[in-house]
Amino acid sequence: MKVVVISASPRREGRTQHVMREAHERAAASAESTFINVADGSIDCYRGPGEEYGEATTRAAAAIMEADAWIIGTPIYNSFFSSALKNLFEYVDYKRTAGKAAGMAIVASSEVGFTDVQTLLTQLLSYFRVIANPKAVYVKADSVGEGGALDAETSARVAEMVDETLALAAKVR
């Protein structure tokens, strides 16, 4: 099984990145896993079809379309998922994504907006005909400690979401 793990925070030291690195380690333990980190700055700004894009952008889009499962992590910005995530999905062909499964981790400084962003992200996944694991992981920023370590409860919830999403992907493959 192929899995793509996406850290959709454009912040180089964002907490989302730490959550998603842990999700990637969990996924890589049982599947072929690719990590896409939009904070590395290699994803081009989408300018429309027929334009030339860099190798990293092309590789990221291909990995998303080839994966059986997606594990997506996004911060909440202005009551929405990150624009960097939306930009990344501009490169994805919805005709090549039907029947995949996706899990979500949503990171914010407070609990305001978690379910709203989960709904918006689920709508995006629906456009791509991807089955969303309904059990998203909500991560409050203060559960990511010094050096990016997750507290035990958050770590367990991330592991459970990854495992359940991979099991869901195996069923729908």
Side-chain angles (χ1 to χ4, degrees):
M1 177 180 305
K2 290 184 180 181
V3 180
V4 67
V5 177
I6 301 168
S7 176
S9 173
R11 295 176 58 198
R12 284 191 169 83
E13 297 300 321
R15 289 178 174 91
T16 303
Q17 189 175 147
H18 298 297
V19 174
M20 299 319 292
R21 287 194 187 283
E22 187 156 322
H24 173 65
E25 288 175 18
R26 182 69 178 203
S30 61
E32 180 184 336
S33 183
T34 301
F35 187 70
I36 298 171
N37 182 8
V38 301
D40 70 13
S42 64
I43 305 299
D44 297 312
C45 184
Y46 187 74
R47 299 179 307 276
E51 295 286 326
E52 293 292 322
Y53 296 104
E55 182 182 335
T57 300
T58 305
R59 241 188 353 249
I64 292 168
M65 290 183 283
E66 292 169 5
D68 302 301
W70 303 343
I71 307 294
I72 301 170
T74 184
I76 296 177
Y77 291 149
N78 297 322
S79 194
F80 210 77
F81 54 79
S82 79
S83 59
L85 180 63
K86 176 65 169 85
N87 179 68
L88 178 61
F89 274 84
E90 293 294 346
Y91 298 99
V92 177
D93 180 356
Y94 74 93
K95 295 174 187 164
R96 296 182 52 198
T97 57
K100 298 176 185 302
M104 298 170 260
I106 302 167
V107 182
S109 58
S110 70
E111 294 179 9
V112 174
F114 280 132
T115 56
D116 293 340
V117 171
Q118 180 180 359
T119 299
L120 294 167
L121 191 50
T122 300
Q123 289 172 340
L124 177 71
L125 295 171
S126 180
Y127 172 78
F128 288 98
R129 300 179 290 171
V130 171
I131 300 163
N133 177 346
K135 193 173 182 182
V137 175
Y138 301 151
V139 181
K140 285 183 57 182
D142 62 1
S143 64
V144 181
E146 288 295 317
L150 306 186
D151 66 29
E153 182 205 354
T154 301
S155 184
R157 288 186 295 118
V158 168
E160 181 179 27
M161 179 270 294
V162 169
D163 292 348
E164 288 177 358
T165 302
L166 297 184
L168 177 62
K171 289 178 184 175
V172 297
R173 267 180 32 163

